[in-house]
Amino acid sequence: MSTDLCVHLLPQLVDPAELVGRTVVVIDVLRATTTVCHALAAGATSVVPCLEIDEARTAAAKLGGIVMLGGERQGRRIEGFDLGNSPTEYTAASVGGRTVVFTTTNGTRTLRHAEQASEILLGGFVNLSAVVERLSRAAAISLLCAGTNGEITAEDSLFAGAVVDGLERRGRQLCALSNDEARLARDAWRTVAMSGRPLAAVLRECQGGRNLIAEGFDADIDTAAVVDHLTIVPRYDVASGGITSS
Amino acid sequence: MSTDLCVHLLPQLVDPAELVGRTVVVIDVLRATTTVCHALAAGATSVVPCLEIDEARTAAAKLGGIVMLGGERQGRRIEGFDLGNSPTEYTAASVGGRTVVFTTTNGTRTLRHAEQASEILLGGFVNLSAVVERLSRAAAISLLCAGTNGEITAEDSLFAGAVVDGLERRGRQLCALSNDEARLARDAWRTVAMSGRPLAAVLRECQGGRNLIAEGFDADIDTAAVVDHLTIVPRYDVASGGITSS
């Protein structure tokens, strides 16, 4: 089976209508999609992404029960929220069995951008192989990088490239790269993979990595760089508004 | 000396005001910047870029004398124009000693986008080393890819990557890559360079290459893939409105 495979290095480089009928992987490696993977792996029942802080507070109030509020603005925990956007904050003790209402700057916006897709998955290096495995059953794939405030970031683009590379290696030789962003991301990833450098060192040079270091979240880069640490693939269900493990 | 080096994979990914005070290289490998290199190398005295067809006709009429009208729409020569956008059309016989008034879809638009820069150069694989040499004296560099109708193209991005790689190899170890697009372009280029594949074969897979093949301009890809065929660096002087050999 031939697969139609696109990469978009930023949400604004693809019209939402072009994602109709496709499997979309939303990518915000540092840190939203990595954090959602950790939250669900730690036993959170669902992660509810919200665009605005007020929207998150309202959603949490409506859900009632034991809900955790998580997320960031300018990288930092939001005032009155239970958790920030560091993946390691999301443990069995903090989120096990609970719903997390979550708002981040770029990740949430990108999820919303993908809402017309037929299926929306979340990926980061922590679940790379699981994402590739899951995609090996899809016919039309769009890898959608969040970037940072409208700027292309290498960490998201490199992960997209790793997925393209992974699909090609897993025997999907008939993978039709439907745009040049897919070629560029794959080839940039191959240089990084061939270099033998630790992924964490590469991520530290990327825009997102440098931002995190400046904000004192250096350790989150190491967490995000543990390839295949987890086997779950978070899936965003637009109708219910929740992201669950799939 | 440390250099501030940025890549923009599309004009719309950078605000024109951000180019103030910088040396900008406009890149439209298939085919506008390659063609301008050929035109000047063939002895054209100046190439005058125009955004619209009517603007080109008016400019040609105003210039009088022996002016050649060149350019394309949807890849093809414009009705009533002397030349299309194939680099090999621009010979000493056709353009030697003459002014060329030139309009292309993406290349001209990108030149206009860069008009606030302190210096505007044009690059393609045909003058790669000359561009790198010229840039080795610049303090702030932006490599501006034209893309095709708002889509990122690999041929332009790979050339940008080859320039970044070339600057780093020429001892500009202090080159500060000021955005992640510079890292991605460089690393994508390195995979292509390491593969040992002929550049023309790589360009045939890119969006611009596939468009040209579909339009019957396959030979132009081979012309654009002759690395360092020329030693000139075209320079666009906004005040005079002309591109000359520099």
Side-chain angles (χ1 to χ4, degrees), chain A residues 225-236:
Chain A
V226 185
V227 177
D228 292 339
H229 178 55
L230 303 170
T231 55
I232 60 161
V233 180
R235 181 174 177 279
Y236 177 40

Side-chain angles (χ1 to χ4, degrees), chain B residues 5 124 185 236:
Chain B
L5 178 55
Y236 177 41

Side-chain angles (χ1 to χ4, degrees), chain A residues 9-10 12-13 18 150-155 157-158 177-181 183-192 194 205-208 210, chain B residues 9-10 12-13 18 150-155 157-158 177-181 183-192 194 205-208 210:
Chain A
L9 301 180
L10 280 178
Q12 52 262 52
L13 292 173
E18 288 180 47
E151 298 231 344
I152 290 169
T153 58
E155 67 272 13
S157 308
L158 288 172
L177 303 190
S178 300
N179 69 1
D180 274 5
E181 287 160 89
R183 289 181 185 80
L184 289 169
R186 178 197 62 191
D187 289 349
W189 166 250
R190 285 184 177 164
T191 287
V192 165
M194 287 290 292
E205 290 173 354
C206 299
Q207 191 55 56
R210 288 182 294 163
Chain B
L9 301 180
L10 281 178
Q12 52 263 51
L13 291 172
E18 288 180 48
E151 298 231 343
I152 290 169
T153 58
E155 66 271 15
S157 308
L158 289 172
L177 302 190
S178 300
N179 69 0
D180 275 4
E181 287 160 89
R183 289 181 185 81
L184 289 169
R186 178 197 62 192
D187 289 348
W189 167 250
R190 284 184 178 164
T191 286
V192 166
M194 289 289 292
E205 289 173 356
C206 300
Q207 191 54 57
R210 288 181 295 163

Side-chain angles (χ1 to χ4, degrees), chain B residues 9-11 27-28 106-107 110 144-151 153 156:
Chain B
L9 301 180
L10 281 178
I27 301 164
D28 188 8
N106 303 291
T110 309
L144 187 61
C145 300
T148 297
N149 304 330
E151 298 231 343
T153 58
D156 295 340

Side-chain angles (χ1 to χ4, degrees), chain A residues 98-223:
Chain A
R98 295 172 179 178
T99 296
V100 177
V101 175
F102 191 64
T103 177
T104 69
T105 321
N106 304 290
T108 317
R109 221 173 290 268
T110 308
L111 277 172
R112 292 288 172 96
H113 198 85
E115 282 189 347
Q116 296 183 48
S118 64
E119 183 162 42
I120 306 167
L121 309 174
L122 284 77
F125 287 103
V126 292
N127 70 340
L128 170 59
S129 292
V131 166
V132 170
E133 171 63 30
R134 174 67 171 258
L135 291 178
S136 61
R137 300 191 292 271
I141 301 166
S142 297
L143 308 179
L144 187 62
C145 300
T148 298
N149 304 329
E151 298 231 344
I152 290 169
T153 58
E155 67 272 13
D156 295 340
S157 308
L158 288 172
F159 175 73
V163 173
V164 175
D165 189 51
L167 283 168
E168 289 194 343
R169 282 175 199 276
R170 272 170 110 93
R172 299 211 69 166
Q173 298 301 334
L174 293 175
C175 236
L177 303 190
S178 300
N179 69 1
D180 274 5
E181 287 160 89
R183 289 181 185 80
L184 289 169
R186 178 197 62 191
D187 289 349
W189 166 250
R190 285 184 177 164
T191 287
V192 165
M194 287 290 292
S195 74
R197 297 179 64 207
L199 181 58
V202 174
L203 297 185
R204 279 188 168 75
E205 290 173 354
C206 299
Q207 191 55 56
R210 288 182 294 163
N211 294 347
L212 286 180
I213 293 166
E215 294 286 339
F217 295 111
D218 196 307
D220 290 349
I221 303 172
D222 297 302
T223 305

